[in-house]
Amino acid sequence: MGHTAAALAAATPATRDRYVDLLRVGSLATVVLGHWLMAAVTPQGMGNLLAVVPALQPLTWLLQVMPVFFFVGGFSHALSYRSLARRQPGASVYAAFLRARLQRLLRPTLVFVLVWTAGAAALQLAGGGGGLTGAALRVITQPLWFIGIYLAMVALTPPLLRLHERHGWGAFAALAGAAAAVDLLRFAAGVPYVEFLNFAFVWLAVHQLGFLRADGRITRPALLAAAGLAAAVLLVAFGPYPLSMVGMPGEKVSNMAPPTLALLAHGLWLTGAVQLLARPAAALLRRPRLWRAVVAANGIAMTGFLWHLTAMLGVYAAQLGLGFALPEPATAAWWAQVPLRLIAAAALTAALVAAFRRFEKPTAAPAPATPVAPATTPAPAPGSGGLAATGIVLCLLGILGLSMTGLGGLLTGHTAILIAVPITAPAAITMAIAGWALVTHPRPPHT
């Protein structure tokens, strides 16, 4: 049977949790829509609509759904790792797990990076790269931060899954407590740089909630949602946290970069809320037509996410190139153009997905093993686990570094600070490619 959406949907086992697939697609689609709506583009550069109209910032409590994506990631990683461990016990399971999780994530990401790098280099060699073009080159890689964080979650799944299996909710509580301690040291004691630890503690705590869902341990979603929402409201109302759950230009404190305890509380209420919808959604997803649509969307979701900003910038570039004025953001003329811009951005994203979707397709699976195991199991490739771990660290550091440097100043040595170390875009790209090679092409065993 082919790998068409209809064939994959028809072959879906009855035990599959279809709601998780819907959440994955829905969370990415919401992020894409949020980016398209929040972009305040003028001929001089790019801003954020939420900074222009602060009254819209409460919408981020609905549109900031990255916690849902990481929550779903935890669920999927738990199931995937346990399945591999059952079928492939031994030291090689970690390397196999990394390769399986990274195949469909990093291939389309590296293609996106290489295409944009080539374009940025050509543009800057020709003397371009200022004004709106320069702003585009700076922001085009910013959404890659989430891929870097996701890679860290993949790398840490085995030890954190063992921690979950031993302590359950206690493992989540430990990570949440560590996030609270970091914010206390940051805001009450003024300890410098400690806040960056919450890139790990906050997002890993959300990821841990996915483990709890995988084991059916989120039994009171209404209580979880209410507690998370109440905590988020209290922290924003009485603490040092801003209202917006996304970063705002010029703010001294952002709930996103680095993440705060308020963002973790926001993640709790979102987790509880989506769990409350699980049963009715599961009933709807038994309808063949709807399920085929979800399967089809999952097959292109990462490609669509990677190229959606390119599509949005293409729409604005076309508008300027055709001589149409860009109204001031949030004016009546600007709002009147919003529906047309969204339709055009969706159409251009679809065209880009059609061009690049093949890089997201899974590679051919190996032939199934014989039912009877051989008398002896071949030893894993020497150092394959260590090489894979090194590779994923290089990947995540490279992708995070590129999200910070952007592609502006590509030829002039522009740097950004990554974990107290200056990094350039070429260095970040080299690290990501080298890491990909280590994870996906492990050293062969000695013969």
Side-chain angles (χ1 to χ4, degrees), residues 18-221:
R18 301 182 181 199
Y19 185 48
V20 166
D21 295 284
L22 177 64
L23 289 179
R24 183 184 297 110
V25 169
S27 59
L28 286 180
T30 303
V31 170
V32 167
L33 179 62
H35 285 170
W36 285 346
L37 287 172
M38 288 189 297
V41 178
T42 67
Q44 291 73 41
M46 299 179 62
N48 191 317
L49 179 65
L50 299 176
V52 179
V53 190
L56 294 176
Q57 292 183 18
L59 289 177
T60 63
W61 289 51
L62 296 175
L63 293 176
Q64 172 50 287
V65 293
M66 269 304 170
V68 175
F69 186 86
F70 291 143
F71 164 63
V72 168
F75 175 90
S76 299
H77 295 160
L79 268 59
S80 176
Y81 185 80
R82 286 168 171 170
S83 175
L84 273 172
R86 286 192 297 269
R87 291 184 283 113
Q88 188 177 332
S92 63
V93 66
Y94 182 63
F97 172 72
L98 294 188
R99 286 194 293 274
R101 303 310 294 177
L102 266 59
Q103 280 287 345
R104 291 186 63 184
L105 180 66
L106 275 183
R107 276 195 308 167
T109 300
L110 291 178
V111 169
F112 167 82
V113 166
L114 292 175
V115 169
W116 260 101
T117 300
L123 186 66
Q124 291 168 58
L125 282 171
L132 182 55
T133 302
L137 292 178
R138 287 193 298 273
V139 305
I140 196 64
T141 62
Q142 284 182 3
L144 297 182
W145 71 266
F146 111 87
I147 294 178
I149 298 295
Y150 196 79
L151 291 174
M153 292 174 173
V154 172
L156 293 171
T157 287
L160 289 179
L161 188 57
R162 287 193 291 271
L163 194 67
H164 156 76
E165 290 167 348
R166 186 173 302 169
H167 300 290
W169 277 99
F172 166 80
L175 288 166
V182 165
D183 273 12
L184 190 64
L185 291 172
R186 175 187 181 183
F187 295 115
V191 177
Y193 304 116
V194 70
E195 63 267 26
F196 294 103
L197 291 173
N198 268 350
F199 276 112
F201 292 138
V202 168
W203 290 127
L204 288 176
V206 174
H207 189 248
Q208 208 78 9
L209 290 170
F211 295 166
L212 291 161
R213 187 188 192 280
D215 288 347
R217 301 188 66 171
I218 301 180
T219 56
R220 296 183 178 181

Side-chain angles (χ1 to χ4, degrees), residues 210-283:
F211 295 166
L212 291 161
R213 187 188 192 280
D215 288 347
R217 301 188 66 171
I218 301 180
T219 56
R220 296 183 178 181
L223 178 61
L224 186 65
L229 184 59
V233 169
L234 291 173
L235 287 168
V236 168
F238 300 105
Y241 305 100
L243 173 63
S244 174
M245 289 297 164
V246 300
M248 300 297 299
E251 275 189 334
K252 292 183 179 179
V253 176
S254 165
N255 280 321
M256 273 289 293
T260 64
L261 187 62
L263 185 65
L264 177 55
H266 173 70
L268 281 175
W269 97 257
L270 282 179
T271 298
V274 298
Q275 280 296 100
L276 284 171
L277 298 173
R279 185 170 295 177

Side-chain angles (χ1 to χ4, degrees), residues 326-381:
L326 290 180
E328 283 297 313
T331 61
W334 187 91
W335 284 110
Q337 289 183 4
V338 165
L340 291 176
R341 281 200 301 269
L342 292 181
I343 293 170
L348 188 50
T349 299
L352 289 166
V353 166
F356 293 102
R357 63 180 297 177
R358 65 183 180 275
F359 298 105
E360 192 174 348
K361 290 182 180 178
T363 54
T370 55
V372 180
T376 59
T377 303

Side-chain angles (χ1 to χ4, degrees), residues 91-96 98-99 380-392 438-439 442:
S92 63
V93 66
Y94 182 63
L98 294 188
R99 286 194 293 274
S384 62
L387 285 176
T390 302
I392 197 169
L438 285 176
V439 173

